[in-house]
Amino acid sequence: MSTRLRKLVVVGGGSAGWLVAAIVAAAHQAHHAQPLSVLLVESSAVPIIGVGEGTWPSMRDTLRAIGLPEDALFKECDAAFKQGSRFEGWVTGAAGDHYHHPFSVPESFGELDWVTPWAQHFSGQPFAELVCTQPHVCQAGRAPKQVQTPQYAAVANYGYHFDATKLGQALKRHCMEQLGVSHLIADVVGLNRDEQGHITSLQTGQQGAVEGDLFVDCTGMASLLLGQHMQVGFKSQRAVLFNDSAWATQVPYPAPDSPIATQTVATAQAAGWVWDIGLQSRRGVGYVYSSAHSSDAQAEDTLARYLQATGSPAGNTPRKIRFEPGYRERFWQHNCVAIGLSSGFIEPLEASALAMVEMAAAMLSETCPATRHEMPVVAARFNEAMHYKWERVIEFLKLHYVLSQRQDSPYWAEHRQAHSIPARLAEQLLMWRHRAPSRHDFGRIDEVFPAASYQYILYGMGAKPVVAQAQPVSAQVLQALRHTQHLAERMVAALPSQRELLQHIVRHGHHRI
């Protein structure tokens, strides 16, 4: 019963599987008297869902921790910088309707109340553009750093856009060459389990039994281990967030020097929204929608009309993706942990999928039980933590929909119906009528989204707190306003364009200090 855990088996490749293998191997190969060996078992037959993907700034810390040079990301994965999201048409759908959710927090956040003076005196100006320099950097098409800024360092906070399939390949190479991860190509046809239900080995078609002590299910939406074999149930969230389908395509740039957007652009449509992600060589564009509110043919036509409206050259034939929004009732059962799409997926909005992989893999790595005896305690804590995170993702994504004033389709009207709003979000919205979202609303040290993000969405979507009485703008706020405006002008003038910096990095690598 107290046998030490010696072998972790990750089932499934792709960006999630290789990211988990890398995070665990980097942390466990060196610091232990009995290091944990990591084996990744990958099917020869399963296609990877490789749509252009976005990450949060947390991915910089993750990649630095596993020792992957940032240059490799730009040279091997068609990567570009992402500084947040721009939302088009979400509030009313009228011309000029847009707002930003930047990755940088407002200037002097936590020290200065921006919300009251904005609501009383500056509400004609978009909130994020008043309190933060980053929307101006994005609108000018600037990169978040300079040529001489070292890798992983930032002038403005950033994550990435990249080709997800190529990221998986870069992580695979790094895992095998630098981190001692073993790799096996084999199709899992069954599980061998003991009397308690723990997996003793995977039964594969090509390699027979593959033994391990802890198994990580990264088999995508199939959820081969936890869902199919362990029969752990799934909690659908379709009643809260309706999107369950997408058409995705890849679009070339009109010219080799076409500008590369430095944020994800999310454009609202009648039954969903279009994502537009700029990579070095192409754009990843897709329409995610609710099949209850649009036929597949209507949706494909919506995507075509968006591409036409944005002057896009013809891309490849769009491919259809179906998903059920929701997550598993448990994520860790016996000695099997689901991470990635096998544990759940809500929708692409705010790029939470890879961030959830990072969070789950980090917790697995940091709390990994030394023996089987500790596993039930670790599993219970993991399940509670991940359940909390999924609930917060759902509430934050729903916030983007409940405040919309769009009247053009049942899709938007139904998103505002009270029965579709999670109870905790409804409570928060009640409190936020009179005050701004603050750290007191989010009690955990490792919250998924910070209070600043809630402010950007809440006030970007047109909400305004009801303030009891008018107050003059303080000298402190006026000084901060001038500083923010001046800093934005300096950054726009000093930073290179996204394409310029990417071309420099690909040719010469990052500056090294």
Side-chain angles (χ1 to χ4, degrees), residues 311-327:
S312 306
N316 59 3
T317 305
R319 61 194 184 89
K320 182 73 194 304
I321 301 166
R322 272 255 197 260
F323 58 91
E324 179 66 28
Y327 58 86

Side-chain angles (χ1 to χ4, degrees), residues 238 242-246 288-292 321-325:
R238 200 193 289 245
F242 313 149
N243 293 341
D244 62 357
S245 305
V288 59
Y289 61 98
S290 161
S291 64
I321 301 166
R322 272 255 197 260
F323 58 91
E324 179 66 28

Side-chain angles (χ1 to χ4, degrees), residues 281-356:
S281 68
R282 61 171 177 81
R283 285 157 50 214
V285 185
Y287 178 37
V288 59
Y289 61 98
S290 161
S291 64
H293 298 86
S294 169
S295 71
D296 293 344
Q298 284 171 323
E300 194 172 12
D301 184 56
T302 299
L303 178 60
R305 278 188 282 112
Y306 172 86
L307 292 170
Q308 192 176 7
T310 53
S312 306
N316 59 3
T317 305
R319 61 194 184 89
K320 182 73 194 304
I321 301 166
R322 272 255 197 260
F323 58 91
E324 179 66 28
Y327 58 86
R328 295 281 151 197
E329 289 171 359
R330 289 177 305 286
F331 311 100
W332 190 322
Q333 171 105 327
H334 299 312
N335 63 338
C336 177
V337 191
I339 296 179
L341 297 177
S342 57
S343 69
F345 181 72
I346 306 299
E347 64 150 291
L349 189 67
E350 296 286 5
S352 61
L354 275 173
M356 290 293 279

Side-chain angles (χ1 to χ4, degrees), residues 117-128:
W118 169 76
Q120 290 190 344
H121 301 283
F122 305 106
S123 61
Q125 189 172 347
F127 178 74

